[in-house]
Amino acid sequence: MAKTFKALLSETTDDLRALVRSYTSLYKLQALEKGVPAAVRGIYTALMALVGVTVLIFLLLTAAFAFGLIFAQGEPYVVLRGLTLGFLCTAGVLLLIVLIMLGIRSKVCESITAKIISRELDELEEKEKAEAALQTTEVSEGTSGYDTHVDTDIVQLD
């Protein structure tokens, strides 16, 4: 039995909708694939810059206290020397943290990127399954029972 024009048009429309949804999903995934690594690298770099600026502040405070040592005499001299060494140790620890972060940067960024992309793919798969289940439900509801409608618009001759 040949299909009517109306049925062919309906199938073509459904296929076109599926194609548009597929292209939309493809573009979303491509944007996600390109955008997430850049965002992760940007956030990680900003975090390293923040720690680096803190190191710089501590080093500048250490330098200020060291210059203060030049003019200090007596009891304040001992206190000032202790403060200078404290700030210098703190700056050294923060500098070590920056160097460690710089060393593991690529591993951390790749790990976070993979987790984000896999989570997004899982969400996309769940959404597609839900849409497929909804379409299956709509199709089964539409074809249940007997079709009593007669299409009188187009008559096909075999």
Side-chain angles (χ1 to χ4, degrees):
M1 180 166 102
K3 294 182 180 181
T4 64
F5 179 74
K6 190 174 185 179
L8 288 173
L9 185 62
S10 175
E11 285 179 12
T12 305
T13 305
D14 292 340
D15 289 342
L16 183 60
R17 285 185 187 136
L19 180 66
V20 169
R21 275 191 293 261
S22 297
Y23 273 118
T24 304
S25 297
L26 176 66
Y27 289 132
K28 285 180 185 177
L29 289 175
Q30 286 176 340
L32 186 70
E33 183 182 22
K34 292 177 183 175
V36 168
V40 169
R41 280 191 306 269
I43 291 171
Y44 197 80
T45 302
L47 183 63
M48 284 187 358
L50 178 68
V51 176
V53 167
T54 305
V55 168
L56 184 63
I57 289 171
F58 276 108
L59 287 175
L60 288 173
L61 285 172
T62 303
F65 280 121
F67 285 124
L69 285 174
I70 295 172
F71 303 108
Q73 296 173 356
E75 185 64 31
Y77 175 74
V78 175
V79 173
L80 196 57
R81 188 176 64 192
L83 288 173
T84 302
L85 292 176
F87 278 111
L88 188 61
C89 290
T90 304
V93 169
L94 289 174
L95 186 60
L96 182 65
I97 290 172
V98 167
L99 293 175
I100 290 171
M101 288 176 69
L102 190 60
I104 62 171
R105 179 181 180 181
S106 62
K107 292 177 185 176
V108 170
C109 288
E110 287 173 8
S111 172
I112 293 172
T113 300
K115 287 178 184 178
I116 291 172
I117 289 177
S118 67
R119 187 181 69 219
E120 291 295 324
L121 286 174
D122 291 342
E123 289 177 5
L124 183 64
E125 286 177 9
E126 289 175 10
K127 188 186 235 184
E128 287 176 354
K129 286 179 184 177
E131 287 177 0
L134 182 65
Q135 287 178 354
T136 304
T137 306
E138 289 174 357
V139 169
S140 64
E141 288 175 358
T143 58
S144 62
Y146 295 102
D147 189 14
T148 57
H149 176 72
V150 177
D151 191 8
T152 57
D153 295 339
I154 300 176
V155 177
Q156 284 204 343
L157 301 173
D158 291 328

